[in-house]
Amino acid sequence: MSFNEWREEKLEDVIEFNPSETIKKGKVVKKIGMDKLMPFQRKIEGFVVTKYTSGTKFRNGDTLLARITPCLENGKTAQVSILEEGEVGFGSTEFIVLREKPGISDRNFIYYLSISPKLRDIAIKSMTGTSGRQRAQVDVIKNSIIKLPPIEEQRQIANILSSLDEKIEINNEINKKLEEMAQAIFQHWFVDFEFPNENGEPYKSSGGEMVESELGMIPKGWTITTLSKYGKLQMGLSPKSNTYNEEGIGIPLLNGAADFSGKLITPNKYTTDPKRICKENDLVFCIRATIGNITYADKQYCLGRGVASITPLHETYSEYIYYNLKRKMDELISKATGSVILGLSKPDINEMKMVVPNEGVLLNFHKIVSKFHKTTRNNDIQNLRLSNIRDTLLPKLMSGEIRVPVEEEK
């Protein structure tokens, strides 16, 4: 197929913008909020069921494109797949809904077009409004001209990119299930105290003796201590800004939530003068503004003042610290102070109360859950590679720099 068959088209001639749909006011339906869209992730992370009042309306297969700053710049764009056949859902008024035109455009191609620089640049440049409330202008986008391949080639381009996203989604689903299993084991063993006793039976419900403690009833022989018994806490300290660079010189710098993507650490700055450094397998998390994002360091990082690290005093403590922190994060956040930006102090974290189980139970928990974390880490690394491949291919496929062998596929 010749590149000459790609035609210049006005976007409104090939894409239906904010298609007309009807939902009766007060009807209970599925709603997708802006918080359910993750940056450059096709799959939508859930929905709520509520009464319809107002908002953009859509069906399965439609693409939701955030039009407000900073959501648009951050890549909040997704494809609807959580509805039943014929079902209409609604969502934020800050979504632009994009739908295919039968025989002219392909719904999956439209999604990838919407996350490509080809359309994103148009949308971002069209933004108007006051600082912090700028929005992309639908009319500007609709009237923009792009070069579009025939629908057969659109489908083949979308198939290639979809195969990468499908693998990413499978890995994410595996990781989600493993995390749920690990949290369930932690809850069962260290909150419900139903860890296996010497006979392999659940301790508490099999008559295991319980004693009073400052945190309530705990198994006999267990005690209460603080986080500092299990790990060494290191608070971040930002180096001078004139030591920063984006060329990869020095050590990658973690300053806060913007440097985390799920369980992956994704800093974009380096420093040649690190003040505080974490080690591989240390626990790292945010302690200012957005507090949380607990994950494991995959290598050395410089810790800015918005993050902290914990080095477990023994490797068997690692997962136990991790899940205690996750469970008690709301409690820690309630202790954060600050006139403008809330933050945690070193005592806030170090003095967090924890149960001290016997070493055998702790070792068994480590043996089970560390395997989950190893699989999760490998999947996260693979997803990063897959997304890099997708993001490299995307503009080349959309521009025709790389062609898809449509005739051979037929």
Side-chain angles (χ1 to χ4, degrees), residues 65-82:
L65 173 68
R67 66 188 292 248
I68 191 168
T69 193
C71 300
L72 171 58
E73 296 94 327
N74 292 345
K76 284 206 169 193
T77 308
Q79 189 178 46
V80 182
S81 61
I82 51 90

Side-chain angles (χ1 to χ4, degrees), residues 56-124:
T56 53
K57 296 178 281 292
F58 40 75
R59 294 177 181 265
N60 268 358
D62 291 346
T63 291
L64 305 182
L65 173 68
R67 66 188 292 248
I68 191 168
T69 193
C71 300
L72 171 58
E73 296 94 327
N74 292 345
K76 284 206 169 193
T77 308
Q79 189 178 46
V80 182
S81 61
I82 51 90
L83 302 173
E84 302 296 330
E85 184 67 30
E87 184 181 5
V88 179
F90 79 104
S92 170
T93 56
E94 302 296 355
F95 291 145
I96 300 173
V97 181
L98 310 176
R99 182 177 293 174
E100 80 277 10
K101 289 195 173 184
I104 298 174
S105 54
D106 175 75
R107 62 175 57 180
N108 296 322
F109 179 85
I110 288 173
Y111 165 72
Y112 288 107
L113 177 65
S114 70
I115 64 169
S116 73
K118 203 171 189 178
L119 193 146
R120 278 176 52 77
D121 288 349
I122 294 170
I124 292 170

